[in-house]
Amino acid sequence: MIYTDTRDNSVQVSFKTAVLNGMNEKTGGLYIPVEFPKFSFDFLAKNTTPSFRDISFEASKFFVDGEIPEGDLADIISDCYPFQPKVIPIDPVTYVLELFHGPTCAFKDFGARFMARMMSYFNKDEDTPLHILVATSGDTGSAVGSAFHNVPGLDVTILYPEGKISPLQEKQLSTFTGNVRALRVAGTFDDCQKLVKTAFTDTELRKKFRLSSANSINISRLLPQSFYYTYASLHVHHRCPRDSKIDNPSIIVTVPSGNFGNLTSGLIARKMGAPITGFIAATNTNRTIPDWLTTSKYEPRPSVQTYANAMDVGAPSNYERMIAMHTYEELKELLASYWLDNDGICDAIKECNTKTGYVIDPHGAIAYKAWNDVKTSAMADLLAGKENDYTKPGLSPSVPFWAKKVANKEAVGIILETAHPAKFGDIVKSQIGRDPVLPDRLEKVLSLPDRSIAMSNKYEDFKEWLENNL
Ligand SMILES: *Cc1c(COP(=O)(O)O)cnc(C)c1O
């Protein structure tokens, strides 16, 4: 597979180059495959859903074609995924796709583990370490730290905004030893991301160190996230006519989004033939993308802190990939968008639990509420001309091509649950009246000592630290 660049489509690189470089420092663009292969009809049309690992293997064969032999790839896939996603029905037309069964209890484990093993594979013949810089608004750091911990030849520096992630998230990324360390930056997530981006374009620094990124700007984090969309949509496609009593329903996937890596992965799965009709992009107060789909003006802005803090992104970097894969008009046809403020997030956690018994985290709660509103009345209202003011929480007034299907009750929904509710125990408890059950793997990390290092948000300070410590 050949990869090109979102800013210059004359660029052609191998998967290895795309993985190791992270982004194209010459253009500042992000790598994407030149084409999206399609699963064979036979593969998609099987009577039962292929296993998650089979789907992962089939899909990644396309992406690494000619660069990793199939035997090695099969080993990598089984090492990546000793866990798998789960599809849980919560009402006759709604399925929760649980993505938190990996080691750090968030969906980023799927991408981070694949990326770590790809980097390690491609770095095996080098004699200097590859330095990974990663900015995190919460869950990326722990997923990457965990995925890379003790992987030979790789070295990881995590940057996170001090005071803007939950205490448990902080423990999960600041307690590593050895090849993984964390810097707590006096600033926002966007400051962290800027420090990393500036380091990548600093030619002097890059002469000294081999640098790579691990944010969702790295294509090897994005591609594997498409696997669970294919898995879940096939699974739901098989069972939903029975559950919902609807003939041939459309499948709408609601994605709680921040940097829009997850949603971009969904677009990839759809291009490859996964039976997904459309998406709802669900965000918190950081509503850059909903506003863009409404007004056609893309206006990145500083991030605002919310209860769904892994989505506190005002300038989503995968915007660039979305518009490289689809025109604006196509995206308006495919995506509805919806946003909630903190009060709405709290109500959504409570409502989900009261109506369905399911305990959901603040990120998944936005998706729950978005799908629930859209399927109940919001889309029908929008079609009837009763549109929501886009500066207020709710469904943005932009009509996707599948709107009538939903308004006519001919659709089922998959909502992505991106983190385990126990990672946001305080907020969840405040709404459902009890603590969500803490998985063992989270309980363990709470007793480890914090090893984070203080850092300003100035590039000169960050650079000096790198030069002295890497
Ligand atoms: C990272 C994260 C998101 C947002 O994913 P993007 O790919 O950045 O849109 C949503 N929920 C949780 C729990 C996350 O960790």
Side-chain angles (χ1 to χ4, degrees), residues 23-261:
M23 68 189 285
N24 187 349
E25 71 263 30
K26 288 201 197 79
T27 62
L30 308 180
Y31 294 115
I32 49 167
V34 286
E35 54 171 358
F36 292 89
K38 284 225 185 305
F39 291 111
S40 71
F41 180 77
D42 285 351
F43 189 77
L44 293 175
K46 288 196 172 98
N47 283 332
T48 54
T49 309
S51 73
F52 176 69
R53 279 201 198 164
D54 283 351
I55 287 172
S56 305
F57 179 70
E58 280 307 307
S60 33
K61 269 199 314 206
F62 294 124
F63 299 132
V64 308
D65 186 34
E67 297 180 64
I68 302 181
E70 287 193 8
D72 290 353
L73 185 63
D75 291 345
I76 291 173
I77 294 295
S78 48
D79 189 36
C80 277
Y81 303 122
F83 57 93
Q84 60 161 10
K86 287 190 185 147
V87 178
I88 313 284
I90 58 168
D91 71 38
V93 294
T94 307
Y95 302 85
V96 175
L97 173 57
E98 291 184 347
L99 298 173
F100 55 67
H101 296 285
T104 72
C105 299
F107 86 94
K108 293 190 174 75
D109 287 329
F110 286 96
R113 292 178 67 84
F114 186 85
M115 175 173 62
R117 279 146 192 82
M118 289 298 154
M119 286 184 168
S120 168
Y121 187 87
F122 289 130
N123 198 59
K124 64 189 185 322
D125 302 326
E126 301 288 338
D127 38 41
T128 56
L130 185 64
H131 294 281
I132 314 294
L133 302 180
V134 52
T136 180
S137 58
D139 284 337
T140 306
S142 51
V144 168
S146 157
F148 284 75
H149 193 221
N150 293 335
V151 177
L154 303 177
D155 183 89
V156 180
T157 304
I158 301 166
L159 290 81
Y160 69 95
E162 178 165 24
K164 294 191 169 59
I165 68 175
S166 78
L168 178 61
Q169 280 179 325
E170 187 160 19
K171 274 281 179 186
Q172 279 193 295
L173 53 79
S174 65
T175 53
F176 293 107
T177 54
N179 67 331
V180 179
R181 69 204 65 86
L183 306 182
R184 48 174 208 281
V185 174
T188 61
F189 169 65
D190 290 337
D191 290 330
C192 297
Q193 211 174 21
K194 211 165 155 198
L195 290 176
V196 169
K197 281 197 172 181
T198 312
F200 283 123
T201 50
D202 183 336
T203 37
E204 189 190 71
L205 192 72
R206 296 202 71 147
K207 274 194 198 114
K208 290 190 192 143
F209 303 111
R210 293 174 56 234
L211 295 182
S212 191
S213 78
N215 288 87
S216 53
I217 57 179
N218 195 301
I219 190 70
S220 67
R221 254 194 62 193
L222 217 57
L223 298 174
Q225 292 175 174
S226 71
F227 307 160
Y228 52 70
Y229 283 91
T230 304
Y231 172 76
S233 58
L234 284 174
H235 179 93
V236 167
H237 176 71
H238 282 124
R239 66 176 288 174
C240 67
R242 265 177 293 130
D243 292 339
S244 66
K245 315 275 187 298
I246 303 170
D247 276 342
N248 199 19
S250 301
I251 297 178
I252 306 300
V253 185
T254 306
V255 188
S257 296
N259 236 334
F260 280 76

Side-chain angles (χ1 to χ4, degrees), residues 105-108 137-140 169 216 221-222 225 228 255-265 308-313 316 318 361 363-364 416-420 423-424:
C105 299
F107 86 94
K108 293 190 174 75
S137 58
D139 284 337
T140 306
Q169 280 179 325
S216 53
R221 254 194 62 193
L222 217 57
Q225 292 175 174
Y228 52 70
V255 188
S257 296
N259 236 334
F260 280 76
N262 205 358
L263 198 124
T264 304
S265 302
N309 66 19
M311 292 160 42
D312 292 349
V313 182
N318 282 294
D361 97 292
H363 305 82
L416 268 50
E417 172 58 326
T418 46
H420 192 287
K423 294 188 89 166
F424 304 90

Side-chain angles (χ1 to χ4, degrees), residues 444-461:
K444 269 196 202 127
V445 69
L446 285 173
S447 58
L448 300 174
D450 181 335
R451 298 170 194 277
S452 65
I453 299 156
M455 179 57 55
S456 84
N457 64 355
K458 303 216 167 32
Y459 181 66
E460 306 78 65
D461 295 340

Side-chain angles (χ1 to χ4, degrees), residues 350-387:
K350 188 187 275 168
E351 185 184 314
C352 179
N353 189 247
T354 318
K355 285 198 173 150
T356 72
Y358 192 82
V359 179
I360 204 156
D361 97 292
H363 305 82
I366 303 180
Y368 167 80
K369 182 72 176 165
W371 167 243
N372 210 51
D373 265 16
V374 164
K375 81 172 180 356
T376 312
S377 57
M379 197 55 93
D381 286 351
L382 178 55
L383 286 171
K386 280 184 283 174
E387 59 180 53

